[in-house]
Amino acid sequence: MCTETAYTLRCEHVVTRTLYCSDAPPPSRRSCAERRTCSRVVRNAVPWPPPPQFGMQATCPLVNCPFEERGGYWNCCWCGKEWNDQGRCSCVMIIDRQEYRCGHICCETCEAATEVQ
């Protein structure tokens, strides 16, 4: 039985790792596509932080990840919360005694958090 594990990174992007079993078809020589899993694949989702066996590859594999480009600290362009340290804005707003979470994911419009001097 093959296993696919999707790890959510600090930036909120996801990296999937696959362990293939002996029933998985071999990679095709004619196709550039990835190897396929067997028909009885088990899928797991692991939230941040990943377990130690994930290794040191906890940085986003995307070349232009807005969160990584801002050094992991950013100001939300939706609600204005400063110094977010994960990929999703942690702001909690209270409006008319109701709690609302911003939840915006760091994007190209968000600015890097900087020290005010």
Side-chain angles (χ1 to χ4, degrees), residues 41-104:
V41 65
V42 174
R43 290 182 172 89
N44 302 305
V46 179
W48 178 263
Q53 63 266 28
F54 183 78
M56 295 304 296
Q57 295 178 327
T59 57
C60 186
L62 296 178
V63 176
N64 296 320
C65 174
F67 178 79
E68 296 285 342
E69 287 180 339
R70 284 150 188 76
Y73 299 96
W74 58 285
N75 301 330
C76 182
C77 70
W78 278 15
C79 72
K81 180 180 182 306
E82 298 179 338
W83 287 96
N84 285 293
D85 62 357
Q86 295 200 9
R88 188 175 298 275
C89 181
S90 61
C91 181
V92 177
M93 300 168 275
I94 299 175
I95 302 170
D96 294 331
R97 290 186 250 162
Q98 292 290 324
E99 189 176 283
Y100 299 93
R101 297 192 180 276
C102 176
H104 177 61

